[in-house]
Amino acid sequence: MANKRSLKRAIRSICEELFAEAIAVSMYGPEPANHNAEAQLYSIVRMEEDFISRVCHPEPGMPPRAYYKNLREQFSAQVSDIIDQLNG
């Protein structure tokens, strides 16, 4: 497991890229994408805050290795969902 600082940095970096992509889609994409852009931007910000706070405060009683593995899997799943929404 990487340290918490690098994990938070990776989460922030990925969310920044998603945010930039969502803005680009809203500006240059088809008209229906513009109506959904604000909700997507809000969900990206909310996801970033949620996962950063979960990195800082791990769940008690759960082994750290399993906790952070589960955290990365959940983050990857949410990122994939947002990418699918942006492409769709």
Side-chain angles (χ1 to χ4, degrees), residues 11 14-15 18 43-44 47 50-51 54 68-86:
I11 289 172
I14 292 169
C15 289
L18 282 174
S43 69
I44 292 169
M47 177 186 70
D50 178 46
F51 280 97
R54 288 173 60 187
Y68 288 110
K69 180 180 179 186
N70 186 25
L71 183 81
R72 286 191 303 266
E73 289 172 355
Q74 289 176 356
F75 182 71
S76 295
Q78 280 195 342
V79 167
S80 296
D81 289 341
I82 291 174
I83 290 172
D84 290 342
Q85 289 174 0
L86 291 174

Side-chain angles (χ1 to χ4, degrees), residues 16-52:
E16 285 174 5
E17 292 292 325
L18 282 174
F19 196 84
E21 188 66 29
I23 289 176
V25 167
S26 70
M27 292 178 70
Y28 303 114
E31 189 63 33
N34 293 341
H35 299 294
N36 199 15
E38 186 174 327
Q40 288 176 341
L41 293 173
Y42 180 71
S43 69
I44 292 169
V45 171
R46 190 177 50 206
M47 177 186 70
E48 179 182 7
E49 291 174 356
D50 178 46
F51 280 97
I52 294 293

